[in-house]
Amino acid sequence: MFKILVKGAKFDSPRRVSNTEYLVSGAKMTPQIQRIHRAGGKIVSITEVV
Protein backbone atom coordinates (compact mmCIF):
# COMPACT_ATOMS: atom_id res chain seq x y z
CA MET A 1 0.00 0.00 0.00
CA PHE A 2 1.10 3.53 -0.76
CA LYS A 3 -0.01 6.88 0.63
CA ILE A 4 -0.21 9.66 -1.94
CA LEU A 5 -0.35 13.21 -0.55
CA VAL A 6 -1.98 15.66 -2.98
CA LYS A 7 -2.16 19.44 -2.80
CA GLY A 8 -5.06 21.45 -4.23
CA ALA A 9 -7.02 19.69 -6.94
CA LYS A 10 -9.84 21.46 -8.81
CA PHE A 11 -12.54 19.72 -6.77
CA ASP A 12 -11.37 21.83 -3.81
CA SER A 13 -12.81 25.25 -3.07
CA PRO A 14 -10.92 27.90 -5.09
CA ARG A 15 -10.30 30.07 -2.04
CA ARG A 16 -8.35 27.51 -0.06
CA VAL A 17 -5.69 24.95 -0.77
CA SER A 18 -6.13 21.67 1.00
CA ASN A 19 -4.14 18.48 1.17
CA THR A 20 -5.77 15.16 0.43
CA GLU A 21 -4.39 11.70 1.16
CA TYR A 22 -5.11 8.61 -0.90
CA LEU A 23 -4.26 5.05 0.16
CA VAL A 24 -3.77 2.85 -2.90
CA SER A 25 -2.25 -0.53 -3.66
CA GLY A 26 0.74 -0.77 -5.98
CA ALA A 27 -1.43 -2.19 -8.77
CA LYS A 28 -3.81 0.81 -8.66
CA MET A 29 -1.16 3.51 -8.28
CA THR A 30 -0.82 4.51 -11.96
CA PRO A 31 -4.58 5.01 -12.59
CA GLN A 32 -4.89 7.01 -9.34
CA ILE A 33 -1.96 9.26 -10.29
CA GLN A 34 -3.59 9.86 -13.69
CA ARG A 35 -6.88 10.83 -12.01
CA ILE A 36 -5.05 13.25 -9.70
CA HIS A 37 -3.31 14.93 -12.64
CA ARG A 38 -6.57 15.20 -14.61
CA ALA A 39 -8.18 16.90 -11.60
CA GLY A 40 -5.33 19.43 -11.52
CA GLY A 41 -3.78 18.21 -8.27
CA LYS A 42 -0.08 18.31 -7.47
CA ILE A 43 1.45 15.23 -5.85
CA VAL A 44 3.48 16.30 -2.82
CA SER A 45 4.75 12.88 -1.75
CA ILE A 46 4.30 9.15 -2.18
CA THR A 47 5.25 6.94 0.76
CA GLU A 48 4.99 3.22 1.29
CA VAL A 49 2.72 2.15 4.15
CA VAL A 50 3.50 -1.18 5.76
Side-chain angles (χ1 to χ4, degrees):
M1 293 294 287
F2 293 88
K3 180 169 67 172
I4 303 174
L5 183 61
V6 179
K7 187 174 192 172
K10 75 177 171 186
F11 41 77
D12 292 328
S13 171
R15 284 182 301 254
R16 67 175 232 261
V17 176
S18 63
N19 291 338
T20 308
E21 288 184 358
Y22 298 97
L23 281 175
V24 295
S25 65
K28 295 183 178 179
M29 176 130 50
T30 301
Q32 183 65 45
I33 289 172
Q34 290 171 342
R35 277 194 293 277
I36 291 166
H37 284 296
R38 277 197 301 270
K42 180 182 180 202
I43 294 174
V44 176
S45 69
I46 299 175
T47 52
E48 188 171 5
V49 178
V50 179

